[in-house]
């Protein structure tokens, strides 16, 4: 515990701490006095607890990795003003095109938590961006950063190969179904690529990390099956000339986990896939998903 935060050690070099909002995970890779943070915190107290935790380990924060430009992942860097930020190159377009959406979403959350901000929120600018992949050091270790689009155009995953640790961004959660906020084909390709990895520790952006091999393969299998079925049903509906509402109805019998919490995200997925596959849908709700 640091303050009221719990830090769970998952491997010899990775600790995780979780927010009560959407069970959002923040990561700390530690090696030889260096710390690389992943999506560190939502409210300032969380980021400060992470900073204190790193200090107590006798380490210094060298880098913040942002997995993607959704609002609940990008509030950490303002608490670490001198630390370099690494993100995918298209993160820059995301925060430019959605600056006001992000500010509105952050303001909504902060009002709910009665947090009074002194200066307006500005999405953090990256110091280093990359295209397909990037090897990034933490002390004596090397992390593999990989572009993994689908949920978001700019999403990245972080893989520590020697220990088979995958930080999966907003994928492979036991709570959430895949949120296809960006593109189905990209999401399918990303999961196909991740399925090739040896994964011994899996950390989703939201939900429970797991080291159970059966659970890891179940999450991969179920999320890929969900996307495949979504593609099949929406394609068939479009071929039959179905409207968006008819397509939503055609996908309503699909089974997925936590159906009560995921009904709306599932509907949004149908809308965005319907639009992606050529249907007329003026306002897919993708951006509103976290
Ligand atoms: Zn997200």
């Amino acid at each position: 515990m640091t303050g009221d935060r719990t830090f769970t050690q998952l491997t010899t070099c990775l600790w995780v701490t979780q927010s009560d909002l959407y069970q959002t995970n923040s990561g700390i890779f530690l090696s030889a006095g260096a710390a690389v943070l992943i999506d560190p915190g939502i409210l300032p107290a969380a980021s400060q607890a992470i900073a204190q935790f790193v200090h107590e380990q006798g380490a210094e924060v060298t880098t913040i990795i942002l997995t993607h430009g959704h609002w609940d992942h990008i509030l950490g860097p303002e608490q670490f003003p001198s630390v370099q930020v690494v993100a995918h190159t298209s993160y820059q377009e995301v925060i430019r095109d959605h600056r006001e959406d992000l500010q509105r979403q952050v303001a909504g959350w902060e009002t709910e938590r009665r947090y009074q901000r002194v200066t307006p929120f500005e999405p953090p600018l990256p110091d280093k961006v990359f295209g397909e992949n990037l090897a990034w050091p933490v002390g004596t270790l090397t992390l593999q950063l990989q572009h993994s689009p689908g949920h978001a155009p700019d999403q990245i995953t972080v893989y520590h190969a020697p220990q088979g640790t995958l930080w999966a961004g907003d994928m492979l959660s036991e709570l959430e179904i895949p949120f296809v906020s960006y593109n189905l084909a990209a999401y399918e390709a990303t999961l196909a690529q991740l399925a090739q990895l040896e994964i011994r520790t899996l950390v989703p952006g939201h939900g429970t990390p797991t080291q159970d091999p059966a659970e890891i393969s179940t999450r991969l299998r179920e999320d890929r099956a969900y996307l495949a079925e979504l593609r099949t049903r929406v394609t068939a509906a479009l071929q039959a000339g179905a409207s968006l509402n008819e397509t939503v109805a055609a996908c309503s019998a699909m089974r997925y986990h936590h159906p009560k919490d995921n009904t709306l995200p599932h509907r949004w997925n149908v809308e965005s896939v319907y639009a992606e596959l050529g249907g007329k849908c003026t306002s897919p709700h993708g951006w509103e998903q976290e």
Side-chain angles (χ1 to χ4, degrees):
M1 298 276 283
T2 299
D4 59 353
R5 304 282 294 191
T6 301
F7 291 79
T8 304
Q9 183 169 12
L10 289 180
T11 72
T12 54
C13 56
L14 175 63
W15 281 255
V16 173
T17 183
Q18 199 173 72
S19 164
D20 61 352
L21 179 81
Y22 313 135
Q23 297 190 33
T24 305
N25 292 312
S26 296
I28 303 127
F29 275 99
L30 277 173
S31 167
V36 166
L37 310 182
I38 304 177
D39 298 346
I42 302 184
L43 280 178
S47 306
Q48 285 153 14
I50 292 169
Q52 191 188 334
F53 173 80
V54 171
H55 180 71
E56 284 167 4
Q57 310 303 309
E60 208 162 317
V61 178
T62 60
T63 309
I64 291 173
I65 295 170
L66 295 179
T67 58
H68 60 299
H70 285 168
W71 76 270
D72 50 329
H73 295 262
I74 62 173
L75 280 154
E78 64 180 353
Q79 304 300 323
F80 298 88
S82 59
V83 175
Q84 64 181 334
V85 172
V86 177
H88 186 258
T89 186
S90 59
Y91 167 86
Q92 299 169 106
E93 281 90 69
V94 169
I95 60 167
R96 184 194 63 209
D97 296 347
H98 293 284
R99 179 170 168 268
E100 283 162 25
D101 294 315
L102 290 164
Q103 288 176 323
R104 177 174 47 75
Q105 290 170 322
V106 167
W109 150 253
E110 290 179 343
T111 303
E112 194 184 308
R113 291 296 164 119
R114 298 193 164 81
Y115 172 66
Q116 205 119 35
R117 162 178 291 282
V118 183
T119 48
F121 173 70
E122 282 299 333
L125 297 171
D127 300 287
K128 166 87 182 168
V129 294
F130 68 97
E132 201 46 38
N133 50 56
L134 178 70
W136 195 260
V138 194
T140 60
L141 313 176
T142 303
L143 303 175
Q144 307 292 336
L145 279 54
Q146 176 70 43
H147 187 212
S148 302
H151 166 65
D154 60 328
Q155 182 170 254
I156 61 175
T157 49
V158 180
Y159 186 56
H160 179 228
Q163 297 191 353
T165 303
L166 177 70
W167 192 282
D170 278 3
M171 294 184 288
L172 301 173
S173 165
E174 90 286 14
L175 301 173
E176 298 174 337
I177 56 172
F179 290 178
V180 191
S181 315
Y182 167 56
N183 184 279
L184 174 63
Y187 208 138
E188 290 170 318
T190 287
L191 287 185
Q193 198 173 31
L194 295 181
Q196 304 297 312
L197 296 176
E198 190 199 345
I199 305 172
R200 299 204 291 272
T201 299
L202 169 66
V203 188
H206 305 276
T208 312
T210 178
Q211 294 176 316
D212 174 1
E215 169 75 11
I216 291 169
S217 58
T218 298
R219 289 193 197 181
L220 265 164
R221 191 181 60 246
E222 287 185 352
D223 283 2
R224 294 181 79 185
Y226 170 82
L227 295 180
E229 187 177 359
L230 191 59
R231 174 179 288 284
T232 302
R233 287 186 184 240
V234 175
T235 300
L238 279 165
Q239 280 168 356
S243 67
L244 175 59
N245 281 340
E246 288 162 347
T247 305
V248 168
C251 294
S252 64
M254 281 178 65
R255 292 162 72 93
Y256 44 83
H257 50 237
H258 301 283
K260 219 171 125 216
D261 293 334
N262 286 310
T263 300
L264 200 52
H266 174 62
R267 192 205 148 97
W268 289 342
N269 284 344
V270 176
E271 289 180 15
S272 78
V273 172
Y274 184 80
E276 179 181 332
L277 298 183
K280 281 205 176 25
C281 172
T282 46
S283 58
H285 281 79
W287 175 254
E288 298 295 329
Q289 298 188 7
E290 26 76 32

